[in-house]
Amino acid sequence: MKLTQATQAIHADDDLKATSDVAPPLHVSTTFRYAGDPEDLVPIAHADISTNEAHVYSRHTAPSSTRLETILTPLLKAPCLTYASGLAALHAAYVYLNPGRVSIGEGYHGSHGVLAIHQKLSATHILPLHCPASDLHAGDLIHLETPLNPTGEAYNIAEYADKAHSRGAMLLVDSTFGPPGLQDPFEWGADIVMHSGTKYLGGHSDMLCGVLATNRKEWLEGLRTERMFLGSVMGNMESWLGVRSLRTLELRVKRQSENAGKLVRWLDTCKNSDSGGEEAEVVKRVVERIQHASLQHEDMPWLKQQMPQGFGPVFAIWAKEESMARQLPSLLTLFHHATSLGGVESLIEWRSMSDATVDSRVLRVSVGVEDWEDLKADLMRGFKNLGRKQEA
């Protein structure tokens, strides 16, 4: 029986249930007893470490992280491994793939930080994301982040897959902003997919997690072996929280993406309105521009295929002035002024607080599961109050 994503998120781990508990128990042990019968003991030299059949030490496998990976596998459309954070997962990918060149563009500054550290230990050369295909060689890597942090802008995965593969290079897609239910990078040619599971896979702002998924069996086994020595595994508590979170992934992401789409349409309509209405004038006094994948109208022929269920819950606002971007978050009630994203609660961040590379007028908005009309009203109150402060 073929199950939908929503059903798999609830039942993909049914075969792992060793107790009658409906909610999976939290296992806290870091080490596990060997078989009691000496005849069943398999020395490490002869053991198959690619399996999760017998837990030995949690730097290899553990019940909760195994359960989490079991649920994630059908959701991501590929076998996967979990890590202590998104950046830990990215570091593991760079170490294993060890590309001679990495083609990468703008995006999450943390990813560039990991790549800079990797360069200290390797001869990896960095190329622009939009470099000619002729600059790539076999074994090189295109690192594509889509949708992009912090703007929510989307890139054509198939285009970059074709570019990489035409030269014998590989494509890594950071799909953190396009979680399962919104985007499947493997459908469009990705070789390996990364998620900062801290964001939408976790969804409650209470756990760190990273994920690598690939359909290449030899890559998965190599990554699993190296993870044992890198030591960047998820903790038991975080893994258990991840299992809890995945049960509602589809519900959360669908609502968040719909809310973001409605807010972006409202803001964009106000920004481009010639009617002179009060709402439009209030928005225009504060907002210079908005960016989100839903506004990439010329790209819709491929974008609607790549993200058929919605264009993601994150968008960016450019304020008219830096002072406006600094002040607006403190004038909002429902949007918490905090970094990160993907939780059920809406967040807004003056991005300069955590990223020194972005325009100081940028506000990143991560939309939660609240009623979108309430979020709209909160933004409007904030815009009005900011306007009054500017006039005072």
Side-chain angles (χ1 to χ4, degrees):
M1 180 172 58
K2 185 176 181 180
L3 302 178
T4 64
Q5 176 182 288
T7 303
Q8 288 172 330
I10 306 296
H11 292 287
D13 61 322
D14 281 355
D15 290 342
L16 298 179
K17 292 182 178 178
T19 70
S20 60
D21 301 32
V22 172
L26 169 61
H27 298 266
V28 298
S29 183
T30 58
T31 190
F32 304 89
R33 287 189 296 269
Y34 294 122
D37 187 342
E39 296 299 318
D40 293 331
L41 295 175
V42 180
I44 186 66
H46 306 296
D48 181 1
I49 65 169
S50 69
T51 69
N52 296 314
E53 294 178 359
H55 301 297
V56 174
Y57 189 56
S58 60
R59 189 156 37 82
H60 174 212
T61 65
S64 294
S65 58
T66 296
R67 184 181 294 273
L68 179 60
E69 291 166 358
T70 299
I71 302 170
L72 280 169
T73 291
L75 302 185
L76 297 175
K77 310 294 179 64
C80 67
L81 295 171
T82 53
Y83 293 83
S85 70
L87 292 183
L90 181 60
H91 176 242
Y94 281 146
V95 169
Y96 178 74
L97 297 173
N98 196 23
R101 298 167 187 81
V102 174
S103 172
I104 186 171
E106 296 179 353
Y108 181 42
H109 65 284
S111 298
H112 290 269
V114 169
L115 183 53
I117 292 172
H118 183 68
Q119 282 187 290
K120 290 170 61 177
L121 305 173
S122 70
T124 300
H125 180 65
I126 297 178
L127 300 171
L129 180 62
H130 304 301
C131 69
S134 58
D135 287 354
L136 297 170
H137 298 79
D140 290 347
L141 179 72
I142 294 180
H143 176 139
L144 180 67
E145 184 180 318
T146 186
L148 193 66
N149 186 0
T151 64
E153 176 186 0
Y155 288 99
N156 189 334
I157 296 174
E159 177 183 313
Y160 287 92
D162 290 344
K163 177 181 176 181
H165 298 156
S166 72
R167 302 291 294 172
M170 305 165 285
L171 176 63
L172 179 152
V173 174
D174 180 345
S175 192
T176 298
F177 280 37
L182 296 184
Q183 179 172 271
D184 174 15
F186 290 114
E187 182 179 356
W188 307 103
D191 297 299
I192 186 167
V193 174
M194 186 209 109
H195 283 268
S196 174
T198 307
K199 312 308 191 293
Y200 292 101
L201 302 183
H204 293 77
S205 304
D206 59 6
M207 55 171 277
L208 292 175
C209 168
V211 181
L212 291 177
T214 180
N215 282 303
R216 299 196 182 192
K217 184 178 180 181
E218 69 278 12
W219 286 15
L220 191 77
E221 293 178 358
L223 287 163
R224 189 194 309 276
T225 298
E226 291 188 358
R227 185 181 64 173
M228 290 181 63
F229 302 110
L230 291 173
S232 50
V233 294
M234 284 188 73
N236 291 319
M237 182 66 180
E238 289 78 12
S239 298
W240 181 83
L241 288 170
V243 170
R244 167 220 58 183
S245 298
L246 290 182
R247 305 306 196 195
T248 60
L249 175 66
E250 183 179 81
L251 298 173
R252 290 185 283 104
V253 168
K254 181 180 180 181
R255 172 73 172 228
Q256 290 169 295
S257 188
E258 289 176 351
N259 280 350
K262 291 175 181 177
L263 288 172
V264 168
R265 282 194 295 275
W266 165 64
L267 289 169
D268 187 57
T269 299
C270 289
K271 187 72 182 65
N272 295 298
S273 173
D274 295 323
S275 65
E278 181 188 6
E279 274 195 358
E281 292 307 310
V282 169
V283 171
K284 287 178 181 180
R285 282 197 292 269
V286 176
V287 177
E288 179 68 30
R289 67 185 175 101
I290 312 106
Q291 191 159 3
H292 184 244
S294 65
L295 300 179
Q296 295 174 227
H297 303 299
E298 294 182 357
D299 295 326
M300 283 302 155
W302 62 261
L303 187 48
K304 281 187 176 180
Q305 295 182 59
Q306 185 173 299
M307 303 187 76
Q309 303 301 320
F311 302 107
V314 174
F315 64 92
I317 294 173
W318 272 256
K320 292 278 189 180
E321 302 172 7
E322 178 185 323
S323 62
M324 291 181 169
R326 177 192 286 265
Q327 294 178 61
L328 180 62
S330 65
L331 300 174
L332 302 176
T333 301
L334 300 181
F335 289 85
H336 299 290
H337 188 198
T339 195
S340 198
L341 55 112
V344 292
E345 62 288 308
S346 291
L347 303 178
I348 189 168
E349 181 188 24
W350 179 36
R351 192 62 181 150
S352 292
M353 290 297 293
S354 62
D355 185 352
T357 67
V358 300
D359 189 314
S360 61
R361 298 171 298 153
V362 170
L363 291 155
R364 185 180 68 186
V365 183
S366 169
V367 183
V369 300
E370 303 94 338
D371 187 287
W372 89 273
E373 292 279 5
D374 293 332
L375 297 175
K376 171 186 170 183
D378 193 34
L379 285 172
M380 181 53 63
R381 282 192 299 269
F383 292 151
K384 287 181 178 179
N385 289 333
L386 181 57
R388 296 188 188 103
K389 287 173 70 73
Q390 294 290 312
E391 293 170 1

